[in-house]
Amino acid sequence: MTTDKFSFPATQAEQLTQQWVEAIVVGLNLCPFAAPEVRNQSIRYAVSHASVMTDAAQDFLAELAKIQDSPEEELSTTLVAFTETAVDFESFLDLLDLCQTMLERAGLAGVFQLASFHPDYCFSGVEADDITNWTNRAPFPTIHIIREGQMSRVLVHYKNPDEIPERNMALMETMGRDGLIERFPPLAQYWPAKS
């Protein structure tokens, strides 16, 4: 199964998401609690091949149930990559809103929180080609299910957690396109050099 909607075959979604986490998220310390979970192999990488948004949301709900029913030491966090839906960033934001609503209706707000990543991620008020957007760009549209209690415990030991986003953006600017591609070569496939 492949798709031309993204720069990579759908069959590579799990592998590339894991490589991206290890090379970029952990390798650049973008997230202060990711490295221990990678070492403990307690991150779940799930893939939804649903082509309809409501089906994609149901896949998200299934993963939410799975992490809720699993001990934290076995399954600490889940990344759900979507290969056939939420192709454009605006559609992805709609999917994210739907998943957030489902999380709240399940009574799990405050237990889990969601983080979001997309190949075309763009912060509000930021130009699309601004390199700081790459703090939230991943090979496929991805929703990250985070245990809120776990995050809070880690951040207690992290000096100035509110400064993490700004630090990450500054790091993107320092590394530049070539530095990021050197760390994670697949980026070159969907981040062409300017002619």
Side-chain angles (χ1 to χ4, degrees), residues 9 12 17 23 67 74 85 100-102 106 116 129 139 141 170 176-177 189:
Q12 294 181 12
T17 301
I67 192 172
E74 293 177 12
T85 192
Q100 181 64 41
T101 298
M102 296 170 91
S116 56
D129 61 355
R177 173 188 179 275
Q189 293 189 37

Side-chain angles (χ1 to χ4, degrees), residues 28-128:
L28 298 178
N29 194 31
L30 299 183
C31 175
F33 74 90
E37 307 316 321
V38 167
R39 286 194 300 271
N40 294 337
Q41 298 182 346
S42 59
I43 300 177
R44 175 171 166 77
Y45 298 94
V47 179
S48 168
H49 296 301
S51 58
V52 178
M53 189 170 295
T54 53
D55 292 342
Q58 288 301 315
D59 288 344
F60 163 80
L61 266 187
E63 292 302 325
L64 185 62
K66 187 182 296 289
I67 192 172
Q68 184 183 13
D69 293 340
S70 300
E72 183 178 315
E73 61 272 13
E74 293 177 12
L75 176 54
S76 64
T77 190
T78 300
L79 288 96
V80 188
F82 299 89
T83 64
E84 299 292 333
T85 192
V87 177
D88 63 84
F89 186 52
E90 293 302 319
S91 296
F92 176 68
L93 293 178
D94 291 341
L95 174 61
L96 180 64
D97 285 344
L98 179 57
C99 291
Q100 181 64 41
T101 298
M102 296 170 91
L103 174 73
E104 292 168 3
R105 287 181 180 166
L108 295 173
V111 179
F112 297 100
Q113 62 179 267
L114 306 181
S116 56
F117 305 91
H118 190 279
D120 295 323
Y121 198 99
C122 187
F123 290 105
S124 178
V126 176
E127 293 295 327

Side-chain angles (χ1 to χ4, degrees), residues 159-171:
K159 185 179 180 182
N160 302 321
D162 293 341
E163 295 176 3
I164 292 172
E166 290 77 13
R167 181 196 73 86
N168 290 347
M169 290 178 177
L171 180 61

